[in-house]
Amino acid sequence: MDLDPRRLAVLAAIARRGTLAGAAAALHVTPSAVSQQLAQLEHSVGRPLVDRTGRRAVLTAAGRILADRAEAIARELGAAERELAALSGRAAGLVRVAAFATVIRHLLVPAMARLAAEFPDVVCSITELEGAPALRELRLGGIDLTITERDAVQRSLQHRQVSVVPLCDDPYRVVVPVGWPPVHALEDLADRPWVAGPPSSTTGQILDRVCRERGFVPRRAHACVDYPTVLALVAAGHGATIAPDLALRDARRDEITVTALPVAGARSLDAHVTAARAHLPAVEALLSCLQAAIR
């Protein structure tokens, strides 16, 4: 019986994703390649490992045994990687990161430049993905690290087998069109239109909170989450908004007015990494460069 660890890794991906296509996407190969690897593993074992009769790929009893072993092998290989790096003093390997636009542009891109200079054997691969889909991808093993945002007054979300590394607080500013009258207090905007994210978004939650604290409900004229779009609407005079400092780095200050109101709070940025990979040298190298970029 030839149990190739690479084929076992394919089986483990099928177990996590529930479909051959999902496993292929996670492994960055074609579905036909996954099917071939699975067929070869089943031939080696001499019995079926996946039940393909339904829409989802359900593991047989033998398949579950091997998938569990594959996960244990992956943990052992991660431990071996850490021990070898400790001997050599060298961080190396691929780190797959999911984040959103402002973090990619203003934190990850500078961090990658530092990474290339200080840890040339570490490669960072970025996917623009955020929120629940990014955390799901993290738990399924499709990425190694994701960066999330939350209202700074809220506690960070805790997940089983996921480590949370606080990165920084990104202050929010109240932003209005250039032609509007001076704003001395948030209450001055109680009857004005707002360009805001939906209530489920971080910006939407912060806007609702700060307005509620001052006794009014914001009049949402436009619902957008992409900051360039939000700021374009503000510049055109269609409403006020709150935006974090990172997003305002891209804005032309002659088109908008960033008020001095210290009332909008901040969003907290956190890095989430699976506990099994949190102490890999390549992941630690990226986190150190990311924290240096923030400083």
Side-chain angles (χ1 to χ4, degrees), residues 222-245:
H222 307 279
C224 302
V225 295
D226 180 63
Y227 282 117
T229 303
V230 169
L231 295 175
L233 285 167
V234 175
H238 295 296
T241 194
I242 59 172
D245 274 351

Side-chain angles (χ1 to χ4, degrees), residues 16-274:
R16 288 193 298 270
R17 298 287 173 157
T19 65
L20 271 63
L27 297 170
H28 305 289
V29 298
T30 64
S32 63
V34 168
S35 182
Q36 291 170 13
Q37 291 290 321
L38 176 60
Q40 291 168 354
L41 182 59
E42 288 180 325
H43 178 73
S44 298
V45 174
R47 64 180 64 195
L49 301 174
V50 174
D51 181 359
R52 302 177 181 82
T53 57
R55 296 185 62 180
R56 294 183 64 80
V58 179
L59 269 62
T60 64
R64 288 193 296 271
I65 290 172
L66 289 181
D68 289 343
R69 294 294 183 183
E71 297 288 1
I73 290 170
R75 289 192 295 269
E76 290 297 322
L77 289 175
E81 184 179 341
R82 290 192 295 272
E83 292 171 8
L84 287 172
L87 285 175
S88 65
R90 183 174 63 91
L94 173 67
V95 183
R96 300 160 300 171
V97 182
F100 44 93
T102 53
V103 164
I104 292 172
R105 284 198 298 270
H106 301 300
L107 296 183
L108 278 172
V109 169
M112 289 172 68
R114 184 181 290 267
L115 191 71
E118 298 182 7
F119 303 95
D121 295 320
V122 177
V123 177
C124 178
S125 174
I126 294 176
T127 299
E128 188 171 350
L129 191 67
E130 61 181 302
L135 289 170
R136 178 178 181 274
E137 197 69 14
L138 180 72
R139 291 192 294 271
L140 290 173
I143 56 174
D144 303 307
L145 184 150
T146 184
I147 298 173
T148 64
E149 63 174 356
R150 58 181 168 85
D151 188 344
V153 302
Q154 297 177 342
R155 303 177 70 177
S156 63
L157 296 176
Q158 301 296 319
H159 304 274
R160 289 185 60 191
Q161 300 180 332
V162 173
S163 298
V164 180
V165 181
L167 295 176
C168 66
D169 283 348
D170 187 14
Y172 274 104
R173 310 296 180 191
V174 178
V175 185
V176 299
V178 169
W180 281 18
V183 178
H184 303 291
L186 195 65
E187 291 83 346
D188 294 341
L189 300 173
D191 296 324
R192 293 281 185 163
W194 287 84
V195 185
S200 60
S201 68
T202 302
T203 52
Q205 292 170 357
I206 291 176
L207 176 64
D208 284 341
R209 175 176 59 78
V210 296
C211 292
R212 184 171 61 250
E213 290 169 353
R214 283 154 183 82
F216 69 94
V217 176
R219 177 162 64 88
R220 283 182 163 85
H222 307 279
C224 302
V225 295
D226 180 63
Y227 282 117
T229 303
V230 169
L231 295 175
L233 285 167
V234 175
H238 295 296
T241 194
I242 59 172
D245 274 351
L246 286 181
L248 292 173
R249 292 184 185 182
D250 294 329
R252 288 186 53 178
R253 295 306 178 97
D254 60 334
E255 295 182 343
I256 58 174
T257 297
V258 181
T259 72
L261 298 180
V263 297
R267 64 174 179 178
S268 291
L269 303 179
D270 301 315
H272 296 248
V273 58
T274 54

